[in-house]
């Protein structure tokens, strides 16, 4: 596939890249053609974005020496580590124990360093040029960091203002008034490669058309959509059952993957939904809160440790029956049980007698091996195994420390998609599958709607009571 | 490295040498590699800050630490890395790139393709000879073949017989062949040879060094540092100039940075004042002072390069004073005393009273011990002399209004004066000397009248006659040297207090070396 724009020819500019139009390929292509001695600095927004881009570059066999890849914040933190005096920051902020205050402080310090032009010669000596991906998600301070860095480096920024759905880090830089004012328009991608490669070009073209509709905040008529778009009509009575049906549909192909966009305000609902559809798993938030809580409350001396482990199992696997199992253990221990213990219960009893990290692993594994039980939150379960294993080692950490370490590691590694993945548009943005299912478009604005609609290369299934999708 | 390399043999205090390098190329300024070590140098204030700063040059500090274990440890130095206990050194590639070429006593290492050789820097070509060499070794073995058998036949038979007796199975027909291990080639096997096949490392010391300096210049875009120990070693003066030229000493924008030690006035004369640094040990510390490019200084370098190599300098008003000091030097040596040169004294001829302080103050400002030795018949600028003395310079001059000749005839005893007259007659002839005396005294005195019991007036006359415009008696380095050695110093004990005092003070100052 040919690229429409040569990023290496852009001295300073903005490339607008609609979803699925080959932005990542464009970057990979530029990096693979780069032959200079100095690497190209590639910045993006999230750790997940870094992991995804790195995976893509490695698959394309782009030599690692051609680029340095980091998040904007991660790179800013490295600048602070390298030049503490010049940044003049409080060293505590690098611990990021208080992200709400620390990240803004990190960005301010890095911006100050760059604004002072202290390291312009060093930047020019270190990197060939700067490419910033997912630029629509840049907060204003991050934008300023890039602008200051661009006084030393040729800079090209890429993004799609219609996919700007990260707003929790403060207001993002305005695409027209701030971004393009600094980095002149270097063109827009307009070939829907994701759909062309899936053999569904018409679908891709329709999505590009709908993009213009959504930019103008117009509504989308599902009846006028190509056959790839399936409208599953909600009747207001059996909505949940209808949605489960929609989420359970078989994706085309032997290992077709489905992304299911659920209500972003209701994580519990997402988990329940994942448990109710075959093979459904939840995509986890990067803070992996439940894993951290599991680690924090895991105390080998606690009398209720077995309940903690069983309840955790109930939280990450379906059909565990955690409450009933806890009661059974109590009954068994009191010697009042009429039925002999099941295998899982026997393991739990042994765990009660001699609590250990190894015992906890065995208990979780035995519960998971029971008929009908499956993990719908495998990332958290996998994390728990890692935590418990880390605690068994010679230089053992506490479970709480291990949980944080596992979470930080998980930030940096992308995971292959499960067959059916449930999450919010925020968590699924940047992922792509064969089928996208939107469970509740009525609560989405134009940006969320656009991100959700463009996740599937072959099919889009929309659960809606209304034939027209109207952005809120 | 031995314990003797430590200051006062105290191995408890590690040797720490920190060198800060600037004009870094891009690889050395890489954030990813050296982010924690990049510092800045402010040329205006000559200070190094631990982190880069706008308007300052980005630099790296390299530190060599040698502790009691004698193990040299190379690190990059920065306060912030030290604070968090980090240590790293240059990558291998960067290290070879910036490693200075050293042209020391043994420079022939550079004339083969060895590790770190300058030959590897002037181009990217490398001898890829391992296959060819291995082939050559095999061929050698094959060619050698059974050649040895005829020469070593008896030995072989004895070995064979012994082995058979002892029942050691070695098979029939023991052979003597080339040992494969002995035909191995190591790094540096490929070396430069002349057309006659003689390796270039057999060149003379000077030629080798000159060639290397030239090659280093060619490699300047890769390695910009060169170290030359004793520049003049093995080189004739004209080749010293060639060597300085070949490393770009005369170019407006110097292509390489060279650290050169020298004790050669030829080298000093050829260099600009801003290229010359005086290294001096004062109070246990070594100080390095740039000579500088002031007019007086630059002229002084050209005229008296030798003087820059001595710690103590006497600026003489003219040739007579120079002759005096040379005579004193010879006299001391003859007496079995330490010679003035051994005491580190150099003297220069200012060629006139008006030029004394231009020279003297130039030396003084560079921290040399400087004395001025002058006549008093003509006075230098008082302000210049005051400044010189205020800066710690020493002044020796003859009694009021007297030139050296006046002083000698006034101060020496009668026998000494007789000897002076005798020497004058030797240098000129009796008639001429008599004429000078008559002329200087308006006909009142004659040569014949100059006998024992000289009046002060007659002594003054003789002083004036000796400085006769028509032919001065002693005014040359050689003449005054012999006068001093043969007459002044042997008769100094009988001289008057003023002359004795001046001479004693001058000699004491020079020898004392305070």
């Amino acid at each position: 596939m040919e690229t429409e724009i040569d990023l290496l020819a852009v001295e300073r500019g903005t490339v607008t890249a609609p979803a699925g139009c080959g932005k990542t390929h464009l970057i990979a292509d530029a990096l693979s053609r780069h032959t200079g001695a100095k690497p190209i600095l590639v910045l993006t927004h999230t750790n997940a974005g870094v992991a995804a881009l790195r995976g893509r570059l490695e698959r394309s066999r782009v030599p690692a020496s051609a680029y340095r890849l980091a998040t904007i914040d991660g790179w800013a933190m490295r600048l602070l580590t390298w030049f503490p005096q010049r940044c003049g920051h409080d060293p505590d902020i690098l611990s990021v124990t208080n992200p709400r205050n620390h990240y803004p402080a990190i960005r301010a310090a890095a911006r100050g360093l760059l604004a002072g032009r202290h390291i312009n010669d060093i930047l020019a000596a270190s990197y060939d040029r700067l490419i910033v991906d997912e630029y629509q998600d840049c907060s204003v301070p991050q934008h300023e960091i890039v602008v200051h860095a661009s006084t030393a480096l040729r800079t090209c920024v890429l993004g799609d203002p219609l996919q700007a759905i990260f707003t929790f880090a403060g207001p993002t830089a305005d695409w027209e008034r701030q971004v393009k004012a600094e980095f002149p328009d270097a063109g827009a991608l307009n070939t829907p490669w994701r759909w062309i490669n899936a053999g569904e070009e018409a679908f891709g073209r329709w999505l590009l058309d709908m993009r213009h509709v959504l930019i103008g905040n117009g509504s989308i008529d599902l009846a006028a959509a190509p056959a790839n778009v399936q409208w599953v009509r909600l009747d207001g009575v059996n909505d949940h059952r209808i949605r489960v049906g929609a989420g359970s549909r078989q994706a085309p192909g032997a290992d077709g993957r489905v992304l299911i966009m659920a209500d972003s305000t209701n994580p519990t609902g997402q988990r329940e939904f994942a448990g109710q559809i075959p093979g459904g798993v939840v995509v986890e938030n990067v803070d992996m809160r439940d894993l951290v809580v599991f680690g924090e409350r895991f105390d080998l001396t606690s009398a209720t440790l077995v309940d903690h482990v069983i309840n955790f199992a109930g939280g990450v696997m379906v059909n565990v029956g955690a409450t009933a199992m806890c009661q059974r253990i109590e009954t068994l221990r009191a010697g009042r049980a009429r039925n002999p213990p099941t295998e899982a219960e026997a393991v739990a009893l042994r765990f009660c007698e001699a609590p250990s990290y190894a015992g906890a692993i065995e208990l979780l594994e035995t519960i998971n091996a029971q008929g009908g039980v499956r993990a719908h939150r495998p990332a958290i379960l996998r994390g728990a195994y890692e935590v418990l294993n880390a605690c068994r080692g010679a230089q053992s950490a506490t479970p709480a420390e291990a949980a944080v370490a596992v979470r930080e590691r998980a930030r940096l590694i992308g995971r292959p998609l499960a067959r059916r993945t449930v999450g919010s548009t925020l968590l699924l943005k940047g992922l792509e599958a064969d089928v996208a299912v939107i469970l509740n478009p009525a609560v989405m604005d134009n940006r969320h709607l656009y991100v959700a609609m463009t996740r599937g290369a072959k099919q889009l299934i929309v659960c809606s009571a209304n034939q027209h999708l109207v952005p809120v | 490295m031995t314990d003797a390399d430590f200051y006062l043999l105290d191995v408890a205090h590690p040797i720490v040498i920190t060198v800060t390098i600037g004009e870094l190329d891009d690889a050395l300024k890489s954030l990813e590699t050296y982010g924690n070590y990049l510092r800045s140098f402010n040329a205006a204030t000559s200070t190094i800050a631990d982190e880069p700063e706008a308007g300052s040059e980005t630099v790296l500090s390299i530190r060599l630490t040698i502790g009691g274990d004698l193990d040299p440890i190379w690190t990059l130095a920065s306060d912030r890395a030290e604070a968090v206990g980090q240590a790293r050194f240059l990558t291998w590639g960067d290290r070879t790139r910036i490693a200075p070429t050293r042209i020391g006593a043994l420079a022939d290492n550079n004339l083969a393709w060895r590790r770190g050789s300058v030959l590897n820097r002037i181009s990217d070509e490398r001898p890829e000879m391992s296959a060819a060499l291995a082939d050559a070794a095999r061929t050698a073995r094959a060619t050698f073949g059974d050649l040895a058998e005829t020469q070593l036949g008896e030995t072989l038979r004895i070995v064979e017989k012994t082995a058979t007796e002892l029942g050691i199975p070695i098979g029939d027909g023991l052979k003597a062949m080339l040992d494969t291990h002995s035909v191995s080639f190591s790094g540096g096997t490929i070396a430069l040879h002349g057309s006659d096949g003689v390796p270039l490392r057999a060149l003379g010391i000077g030629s080798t060094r000159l060639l290397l300096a030239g090659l280093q210049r060619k490699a300047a875009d890769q390695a910009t540092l060169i170290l030359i120990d004793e520049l003049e070693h093995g080189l004739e003066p004209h080749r010293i100039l060639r060597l300085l030229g070949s490393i770009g000493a005369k170019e407006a924008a110097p292509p390489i940075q060279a650290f050169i030690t020298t004790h050669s006035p030829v080298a000093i004369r050829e260099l600009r004042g801003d290229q010359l640094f005086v290294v001096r040990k004062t109070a246990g510390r070594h100080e390095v002072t740039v000579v500088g490019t002031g007019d007086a200084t630059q002229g002084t370098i050209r005229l008296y390069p030798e003087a820059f190599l001595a710690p103590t300098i006497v600026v003489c008003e003219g040739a007579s004073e120079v002759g005096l000091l040379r005579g004193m030097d010879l006299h001391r040596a003859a007496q079995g005393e330490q010679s003035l040169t051994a005491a580190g004294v150099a003297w220069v001829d200012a060629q006139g009273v008006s030029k004394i302080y231009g020279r003297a103050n130039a030396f003084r400002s560079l921290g040399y011990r400087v004395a001025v030795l002058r006549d008093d018949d003509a006075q230098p600028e008082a302000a210049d002399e005051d400044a010189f003395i205020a800066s710690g310079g020493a002044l020796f001059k003859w009694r009021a209004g007297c030139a050296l000749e006046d002083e000698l005839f006034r101060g020496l005893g009668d026998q000494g004066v007789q000897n002076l007259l005798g020497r004058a007659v030797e240098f000129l002839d009796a008639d001429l000397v008599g004429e000078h005396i008559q002329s200087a005294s308006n006909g009142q005195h004659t040569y014949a009248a100059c006998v024992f019991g000289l009046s002060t007036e007659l002594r003054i006359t003789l002083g004036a006659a000796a400085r006769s415009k028509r032919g001065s008696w002693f005014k040359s380095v050689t003449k005054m040297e012999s006068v001093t050695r043969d007459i002044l110093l042997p008769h100094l004990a009988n001289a008057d207090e003023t002359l004795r005092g001046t001479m004693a003070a001058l000699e004491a100052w020079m020898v004392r070396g305070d």
Side-chain angles (χ1 to χ4, degrees):
Chain A
M1 109 188 183
E2 287 184 15
T3 54
E4 300 153 62
I5 296 169
D6 179 5
L7 290 186
L8 298 184
V10 178
E11 293 293 302
R12 186 179 182 85
T14 300
V15 172
T16 302
C21 288
K23 180 185 57 153
T24 309
H25 175 80
L26 193 68
I27 295 172
D29 171 70
L31 295 182
S32 66
R33 284 186 291 115
H34 172 59
T35 52
K38 290 178 259 179
I40 293 176
L41 178 62
V42 183
L43 298 179
T44 181
H45 201 70
T46 59
N47 286 302
V50 167
L53 195 50
R54 175 162 287 131
R56 173 60 200 268
L57 293 173
E58 283 169 3
R59 278 198 303 283
S60 304
R61 300 188 187 279
V62 178
S65 58
Y67 62 91
R68 293 285 178 275
L69 183 55
T71 62
I72 298 173
D73 289 343
W75 188 66
M77 287 170 77
R78 296 188 72 191
L79 291 180
L80 266 61
T81 316
W82 285 324
F83 308 115
Q85 282 174 30
R86 218 50 87 196
C87 292
H89 57 276
D90 173 356
D92 282 352
I93 63 174
L94 286 172
S95 67
V96 207
T97 45
N98 179 356
R100 198 176 292 275
N101 294 325
H102 288 171
Y103 275 117
I106 287 167
R107 292 173 197 134
R111 183 185 52 195
L113 172 76
L114 294 165
R117 305 288 183 262
H118 294 301
I119 60 167
N120 270 29
D121 66 320
I122 297 172
L123 290 178
S126 301
Y127 308 113
D128 187 82
R129 59 172 68 235
L130 170 61
I131 292 175
V132 192
D133 194 12
E134 304 289 355
Y135 207 75
Q136 73 281 345
D137 293 327
C138 273
S139 65
V140 172
Q142 289 172 326
H143 170 59
E144 286 170 1
I145 286 174
V146 173
V147 168
H148 287 305
S150 76
T151 61
L153 296 166
R154 299 179 279 191
T155 302
C156 180
V157 304
L158 302 97
D160 179 6
L162 198 57
Q163 295 181 68
I165 57 175
F166 285 108
T167 49
F168 44 80
T172 53
D174 185 275
W175 198 256
E176 296 298 328
R177 282 186 299 107
Q178 287 172 294
V179 177
K180 283 191 176 172
E182 285 292 345
F183 305 106
D185 195 342
L189 302 177
N190 58 6
T191 311
W193 288 109
R194 181 182 299 165
W195 296 273
I196 292 173
N197 291 341
E200 303 290 349
E201 179 165 359
F203 180 28
R205 298 276 172 208
W206 178 77
L207 285 168
L208 275 180
D209 292 342
M210 292 306 103
R211 170 185 170 79
H212 294 293
V213 173
L214 288 170
I215 287 173
N217 244 334
S219 62
I220 292 166
D221 182 358
L222 292 172
N228 306 74
V229 182
Q230 294 174 29
W231 173 26
V232 174
R233 192 168 198 159
L234 298 177
D235 61 8
V237 180
N238 298 308
D239 285 2
H240 184 70
R241 194 175 48 76
I242 294 169
R243 284 184 172 121
V244 169
S248 305
R249 291 219 192 156
Q250 191 63 40
D255 45 37
R257 314 255 163 213
V258 183
L259 288 181
I260 299 161
M261 261 68 59
D263 187 350
S264 59
T265 58
N266 183 4
T268 315
Q270 293 171 20
R271 287 166 204 155
E272 284 173 0
F273 193 87
Q276 288 164 10
I277 57 174
V281 305
V282 175
V283 62
E284 299 292 340
N285 202 335
V286 286
D287 70 3
M288 297 181 93
R289 186 71 210 139
D290 291 343
L291 176 65
V292 175
V293 169
F294 171 70
E296 283 169 351
R297 299 201 186 145
F298 192 98
D299 178 359
L300 285 180
T301 62
S302 162
T304 58
L305 181 59
V306 71
D307 292 349
H308 178 53
V309 175
I310 292 170
N311 284 324
F312 172 76
V316 299
M317 304 175 216
V318 293
N319 296 331
V320 172
T323 316
M325 186 172 173
C326 288
Q327 281 168 1
R328 270 284 288 168
I329 299 301
E330 205 183 320
T331 314
L332 283 163
R333 292 183 74 189
R336 291 184 276 107
R338 221 173 292 157
N339 297 328
T342 64
E343 193 190 347
E345 287 162 355
V347 172
L349 286 173
R350 283 206 301 280
F351 181 68
C352 288
E353 296 307 314
S356 71
Y357 296 115
I361 293 174
E362 192 192 3
L363 178 53
L364 289 171
E365 283 173 345
T366 318
I367 291 172
N368 197 11
Q370 294 177 110
V373 174
R374 92 182 157 81
H376 65 300
R377 304 185 66 194
I380 300 290
L381 179 59
R382 208 161 41 224
Y385 286 137
E386 284 181 48
V387 167
L388 294 168
N389 272 317
C391 295
R392 293 167 69 189
Q395 289 121 14
S396 48
T398 68
E401 291 163 357
V404 171
V406 167
R407 177 187 68 189
E408 294 310 311
R409 225 169 23 243
R411 267 181 207 280
L412 306 176
I413 321 169
R415 287 279 176 198
L417 267 188
R419 200 148 59 87
R420 290 175 203 282
T421 307
V422 181
S424 62
T425 33
L426 273 178
L427 291 174
L428 296 176
K429 176 174 176 293
L431 300 178
E432 54 191 85
D434 304 288
V435 181
V437 182
I438 305 177
L439 297 181
N440 194 3
V443 298
M444 292 177 166
D445 67 9
N446 60 342
R447 296 173 175 198
H448 282 270
L449 210 44
Y450 178 69
V451 169
M453 286 169 62
T454 51
R455 292 309 95 200
K458 294 177 179 166
Q459 270 182 40
L460 170 62
I461 299 172
V462 184
C463 304
S464 170
N466 194 330
Q467 180 190 329
H468 293 272
L469 299 181
V470 185
V472 296
Chain B
M1 209 53 218
T2 68
D3 287 3
D5 291 311
F6 286 76
Y7 183 63
L8 298 178
L9 294 175
D10 180 5
V11 295
H13 286 92
I15 297 171
V16 180
I17 301 172
T18 307
V19 173
T20 297
I21 53 173
E23 286 187 23
L24 302 177
D25 62 18
D26 284 353
L28 289 167
K29 278 200 276 192
S30 166
L31 269 181
E32 310 283 341
T33 323
Y34 303 117
N36 261 336
Y37 299 91
L38 292 167
R39 316 172 95 193
S40 61
F41 173 69
N42 185 327
T45 59
S46 285
T47 51
I48 294 172
D50 201 54
E51 292 182 20
E53 185 169 18
S56 292
E57 182 180 1
T58 302
V59 295
L60 279 175
S61 293
I62 293 172
R63 179 170 295 160
L64 169 65
T65 310
I66 303 169
D69 56 4
L70 305 184
D71 194 16
I73 296 166
W74 292 87
T75 49
L76 289 168
S78 88
D79 297 346
R80 57 193 191 279
E82 215 165 293
V84 294
Q86 279 185 1
R88 75 159 297 164
F89 192 48
L90 299 172
T91 62
W92 178 252
D94 290 338
R95 221 165 122 182
T96 47
R97 248 200 314 283
I98 67 157
T101 300
R102 178 169 175 269
I103 301 188
L106 292 168
D108 49 336
N109 193 37
N110 278 304
L111 293 177
W113 276 266
R114 297 210 175 114
R115 209 169 74 172
S117 159
V118 70
L119 295 180
N120 287 328
R121 297 185 183 177
I122 51 182
S123 84
D124 288 332
E125 296 173 338
R126 297 285 178 276
E128 283 302 337
M129 300 301 289
S130 42
L133 288 174
D135 242 17
R138 284 186 210 106
T139 313
R141 195 157 176 267
T143 311
F144 188 81
D146 300 337
L147 216 64
E149 235 171 280
T150 52
Q151 296 166 22
L152 304 170
E154 193 171 341
T155 313
L156 290 174
R157 269 196 305 283
I158 294 171
V159 174
E160 203 165 23
K161 186 159 172 281
T162 312
T164 316
E165 282 169 10
L166 296 174
I168 300 166
I170 53 170
D172 294 334
L174 199 58
K175 286 182 173 163
M177 297 181 74
L178 202 58
D179 186 347
T180 42
H181 292 293
S182 69
V183 195
S184 71
F185 299 96
S186 57
T189 302
I190 314 296
L192 292 171
H193 292 72
S195 61
D196 48 8
V198 177
L200 288 198
R201 65 169 174 273
L203 286 173
I205 291 170
S207 302
T208 308
R209 289 160 59 94
L210 195 54
L211 176 60
L212 284 180
L215 290 176
Q216 180 61 29
R217 169 64 196 280
K218 295 281 186 290
D221 58 328
Q222 274 205 42
T224 56
L225 278 176
I226 186 169
L227 306 176
I228 306 181
D229 202 12
E230 297 300 335
L231 174 75
E232 63 276 13
H233 183 49
L235 290 177
E236 302 87 337
H238 65 275
R239 293 178 97 186
I240 293 178
L241 308 191
R242 202 57 226 106
L243 187 136
L244 288 172
S246 80
I247 59 173
K250 303 288 188 181
E251 290 170 34
I256 57 181
Q257 188 175 26
F259 290 91
I260 300 173
T261 64
T262 186
H263 295 90
S264 160
V266 177
I268 291 176
R269 186 183 293 120
E270 282 310 310
L271 293 169
R272 287 198 315 273
D274 60 345
Q275 293 172 319
L276 290 170
F277 294 80
V278 180
V279 182
R280 184 179 292 105
K281 186 179 173 187
T282 41
R285 288 171 56 87
H286 285 84
E287 286 179 5
V288 180
T289 319
V290 64
V291 168
T293 50
D295 281 349
T297 313
Q298 190 68 58
T300 309
I301 297 170
R302 292 276 143 77
L303 279 171
Y304 316 110
E306 313 80 14
F308 280 89
L309 299 167
T312 299
I313 299 168
V314 182
V315 178
C316 300
E317 177 176 327
S320 314
E321 284 74 20
V322 171
L324 177 94
L325 293 178
R326 288 172 61 139
M328 190 188 284
D329 191 37
L330 294 171
H331 178 76
R332 286 179 63 90
Q335 299 291 310
E337 293 173 274
Q338 186 193 33
S339 72
L340 295 179
T341 44
V345 181
W347 38 81
V348 303
D349 178 359
Q351 296 173 330
V353 67
S354 61
K355 296 182 193 158
I356 289 177
Y357 284 107
R359 309 300 182 209
N361 283 322
F363 285 121
R364 189 66 204 121
S365 65
L366 295 173
Y368 288 91
R369 265 186 97 229
V370 187
V372 163
L373 176 60
R374 70 167 174 86
D375 295 335
D376 200 49
D377 53 335
Q379 312 291 327
E381 286 286 337
D384 292 345
E385 186 157 278
D386 291 346
F388 172 70
I389 290 168
S391 76
L395 171 63
F396 301 96
K397 57 180 182 177
W398 311 122
R399 68 193 72 193
C402 283
L404 173 54
E405 289 88 341
D406 303 318
E407 179 77 20
L408 293 180
F409 284 103
R410 289 277 294 276
L412 281 174
D414 287 344
Q415 184 59 51
V417 171
Q418 288 305 318
N419 291 2
L420 287 176
L421 285 169
R423 188 57 59 95
V425 169
E426 263 177 54
F427 287 152
L428 303 153
D429 70 59
D431 293 347
L432 209 52
V433 170
E435 265 176 47
H436 289 163
I437 294 171
Q438 287 198 353
S439 160
S441 61
N442 291 324
Q444 290 192 12
H445 297 298
T446 60
Y447 172 53
C450 299
V451 292
F452 281 70
L454 293 161
S455 68
T456 303
E457 191 218 334
L458 187 51
R459 285 168 176 269
I460 291 170
T461 299
L462 287 175
R467 295 190 281 120
S468 167
K469 294 261 185 311
R470 283 172 294 151
S472 91
W473 299 354
F474 309 127
K475 207 180 252 325
S476 86
V477 172
T478 318
K479 288 175 183 166
M480 191 54 80
E481 177 183 312
S482 71
V483 165
T484 305
R485 183 186 57 192
D486 303 339
I487 305 169
L488 168 59
L489 294 172
H491 293 91
L492 191 59
N494 297 321
D496 75 357
E497 207 181 321
T498 308
L499 177 54
R500 268 191 288 126
T502 306
M503 290 298 287
L506 173 63
E507 191 168 4
W509 181 87
M510 288 191 290
V511 176
R512 191 169 68 239
D514 61 1

